[in-house]
Amino acid sequence: MINAFIKEIEETISNSSIVVSSTIQKYISSTKEEAYVRGNLIFIDMSSLEFAIYILGKGKRIVFDKYRFQYMDSENSLVFRYDNARHYKNIPTFPNHKHLHDGKAISSAPPKFSEILEEITAIIAQSPK
């Protein structure tokens, strides 16, 4: 399960038309029941995504124990960040949430990697050229 999850991330990145460079590090336990994956992607507009995911294999499913997906514009300002840090206890999806560029945090389920790249693709497409 964990190897398939990591492979899906790698394929999503390699199939993306907006990624110009990527660095990924992965650490998989000897039991293959847990893994830590982190990376940095640079996009065609020089924005970037830093991510870190600590996952656990629970039978036939993957559990995001800890995660952070932080998207920054070309001037290194926050556009959004998904994470599950245990703050914002008033948010219905606690501990999962999304930080917005204006400092607000909103409800969010843990996103799929492909969904994050789709969101970034839409942001880049809307940016003035």
Side-chain angles (χ1 to χ4, degrees), residues 9 33 61 70 89 122:
I9 289 174
E33 293 178 359
R61 62 187 190 103
Q70 181 163 298
K89 293 182 180 183

Side-chain angles (χ1 to χ4, degrees), residues 3-4 9-10 14 19 21 26-28 30 43 48 58 62 68 71 77 80 82 85 94 101 103 108 121-122 129:
N3 285 333
I9 289 174
E10 293 172 331
S14 66
V19 175
S21 74
K26 50 193 170 191
Y27 307 92
I28 302 171
S30 59
F43 301 102
S48 63
K58 300 280 187 177
I62 296 290
R68 175 181 49 84
Y71 179 55
S77 296
F80 65 75
Y82 291 92
F94 174 82
H101 66 91
S108 174
T121 299
K129 305 289 184 243

Side-chain angles (χ1 to χ4, degrees), residues 2-3 6-7 10 23-29 35-39 53:
I2 286 182
N3 285 333
I6 294 170
K7 184 177 180 182
E10 293 172 331
T23 305
I24 299 175
Q25 297 173 314
K26 50 193 170 191
Y27 307 92
I28 302 171
S29 70
Y36 177 67
V37 181
R38 69 182 200 180
I53 314 164

Side-chain angles (χ1 to χ4, degrees), residues 56-92:
L56 303 171
K58 300 280 187 177
K60 292 188 175 189
R61 62 187 190 103
I62 296 290
V63 174
F64 281 30
D65 189 53
K66 294 181 183 176
Y67 67 90
R68 175 181 49 84
F69 300 97
Q70 181 163 298
Y71 179 55
M72 309 289 278
D73 67 19
S74 62
E75 295 178 7
N76 217 25
S77 296
L78 179 70
V79 178
F80 65 75
R81 178 176 66 248
Y82 291 92
D83 68 61
N84 66 344
R86 300 188 68 78
H87 48 240
Y88 301 111
K89 293 182 180 183
N90 60 327
I91 290 179

Side-chain angles (χ1 to χ4, degrees), residues 16-18 43 71 116-126:
S16 173
S17 62
I18 62 168
F43 301 102
Y71 179 55
I116 293 170
L117 283 189
E118 288 170 10
E119 185 173 356
I120 293 169
T121 299
I123 291 168
I124 290 173
Q126 293 174 359

